Amino acid sequence: MDGRARTAPARAATAGTTDAAVILRILRVCLHSGFAVLLLVAVVRLVGAGLEGTDWIAACLALVLAGVYVLGTVLEKRHSTDPSQFDPRPYSQLWLGAVCLLWLLLIWASADFVWLAFPIFFLQLHVLPRRLALPAIALSTVLVVVALWFHNAGDAGGALELPMVLGPMFGAAFAVVTGLAYRALYLEAENQRLAAEELRRTRAELARSQHDAGTLAERARLAREIHDTLAQGFSSIVLMGRSAEKALDGGDTAAARDRLRTVQETAAANLAEARNFVRALQPPDLSENAGNPAAAAPGDPLVNSLRRLCGKTETEAAARGTRLRCRFDLEGIPVDLPNPYRTTLLRAAQASLANVWVHAQAETAVVTLSFLGSEVAMDIYDDGTGFDPAAAVDRAGRPDGSGYGLRSLRERVAALAGSLDIESAPGEGTVVAIRLPLANSPVGTPPAGTSAAGTSAAREEP
């Protein structure tokens, strides 16, 4: 799903809210305009007939009514535009009561003011709860009928004519239906506004949580890479430097030179790894020309990398005075593995062999890479002192920053839906077995320079 599809609900909700808001704004303008026009017509008729007696009082009341009405609408408009402004809603019923009281006084002064009842019906429906609005409209209708009868009693001989009743009743009914529709539209617009705000808030929280999850995942990935590459490389440099110093103290300059050469190669490899973190490319050890370009053999990059790794492990172990024979075995015909598979297998071999020559005190280590059709497998065996795998997991992540190897390896393998098994016991050696499925992976054909005849041998020496 792309970004446009994800934002479609938000746009739809926003569009619906905007359309409803426009309709409501038009209805408000029509209501206020109608009230102003009807009040102006009544005042003009009152003044045009000549102000006599109580007519002056009616004109003043009309001006007061106009002022009260404008004050309430202006305050409401300012608050709706800027919520920090004074909120008139708690006083809306008092405002409506003042408007209705002034209107009642005016309809007894002149029949021209009874037509203000229609916009007042809408105000009553909008401001009052429905249980109060309907009785208020009914009472206002009765008062309009009575006012019309009172002002026309002299002309009609005191009789109540049918138009005096039907006109206000139809007007009230129309106002009720229109007002209820207005309220329904208002509630719908408000619900859409709240839904749109909730959707925007939810999308913002989702984006923030996804960003945090991505940050944590990237930190975990970098921690694994640093532990499996730079940290082990620096450890090797420290050990080789100590070995070179010991050789110099003993007068063995040839051995010291060999150790320093190894330090230089390890430092160069670590530098390549550090630069690779910036470029986010495949591990340099998987390159065909990694290490010594002249020694790079044609074939699968992973096979060549593992072969070189075994040779490097022997060299580093010898520099420490440890007799360790490290052998690489290939079974099956290599296929072109996806880069995540190559990286995981290489890192697993690096971490496992580092543990072998640092901790295991082993004499033999064997790395076996097997291509089994539906999966690729790698077993790292050593005949060292062994350990308790459960105890190793319990103490993973020591305060000094070490102890993350097994956990890092499990995370790498789990990310590719593979399996990791560790078989070991004190004094019985260790086997690290990794299985990665190939059924849903974009594996290709055997790499160039590799054939069935060339890989039929089950054992290959480094």
Side-chain angles (χ1 to χ4, degrees), residues 85-287:
Q85 297 290 335
F86 173 74
D87 186 3
R89 287 177 297 182
Y91 308 97
S92 58
Q93 294 185 9
L94 293 177
W95 171 79
L96 178 62
V99 170
C100 292
L101 178 60
L102 292 170
W103 171 67
L104 289 176
L105 295 175
L106 287 171
I107 64 176
W108 293 115
S110 172
D112 294 325
F113 291 98
V114 297
W115 307 116
L116 289 172
F118 298 108
I120 289 178
F121 289 158
F122 288 102
L123 292 177
Q124 290 170 339
L125 281 170
H126 180 67
V127 175
L128 298 176
R130 186 178 301 179
R131 67 179 187 277
L132 297 179
L134 296 180
I137 292 174
L139 177 60
S140 299
T141 304
V142 172
L143 292 176
V144 169
V145 172
V146 172
L148 290 174
W149 171 78
F150 174 77
H151 288 290
N152 292 278
D155 297 334
L160 183 64
E161 297 182 352
L162 185 61
M164 297 180 186
V165 179
L166 293 182
M169 289 183 61
F170 278 113
F174 176 79
V176 168
V177 173
T178 306
L180 293 178
Y182 174 88
R183 172 170 290 189
L185 183 61
Y186 173 79
L187 294 177
E188 178 65 20
E190 187 68 12
N191 291 335
Q192 289 184 0
R193 183 184 66 82
L194 295 176
E197 291 180 356
E198 179 66 21
L199 181 59
R200 284 192 292 268
R201 184 166 54 252
T202 301
R203 292 181 66 245
E205 293 176 355
L206 179 60
R208 184 167 54 253
S209 64
Q210 289 177 341
H211 176 268
D212 293 342
T215 301
L216 293 176
E218 182 63 13
R219 288 177 180 175
R221 185 189 71 83
L222 290 177
R224 290 195 300 267
E225 292 293 335
I226 292 173
H227 174 273
D228 294 343
T229 56
L230 300 181
Q232 293 180 2
F234 290 141
S235 176
S236 176
I237 289 173
V238 170
L239 294 175
M240 297 300 289
R242 292 174 181 173
S243 178
E245 183 181 9
K246 184 177 179 180
L248 287 174
D249 292 340
D252 189 354
T253 57
R257 186 179 297 106
D258 184 64
R259 305 295 185 267
L260 291 176
R261 186 182 303 109
T262 303
V263 169
Q264 182 181 5
E265 293 175 354
T266 305
N270 270 24
L271 179 61
E273 289 286 359
R275 289 172 175 170
N276 177 64
F277 290 155
V278 178
R279 294 192 303 266
L281 300 177
Q282 67 178 8
D285 282 345
L286 289 176
S287 172

Side-chain angles (χ1 to χ4, degrees), residues 338-365:
N339 187 60
Y341 280 54
R342 298 179 184 177
T343 302
T344 297
L345 293 173
L346 178 61
R347 297 294 185 240
Q350 289 173 331
S352 300
L353 290 180
N355 288 331
V356 168
W357 72 268
V358 173
H359 303 295
Q361 302 176 10
E363 295 183 357
T364 302

Side-chain angles (χ1 to χ4, degrees), residues 449-461:
T450 303
S451 63
T455 59
S456 58
R459 302 296 182 188
E460 291 193 12
E461 299 292 337

Side-chain angles (χ1 to χ4, degrees), residues 4-68:
R4 290 173 296 179
R6 285 194 298 268
T7 58
R11 290 201 304 269
T14 303
T17 304
T18 303
D19 294 341
V22 171
I23 296 174
L24 290 173
R25 185 159 54 248
I26 293 174
L27 291 176
R28 290 194 194 98
V29 171
C30 292
L31 172 64
H32 299 327
S33 300
F35 188 93
V37 169
L38 291 174
L39 181 60
L40 180 62
V41 170
V43 171
V44 170
R45 286 174 59 86
L46 181 65
V47 174
L51 297 178
E52 298 178 357
T54 59
D55 292 341
W56 287 100
I57 299 177
C60 293
L61 289 176
L63 294 177
V64 173
L65 175 59
V68 171

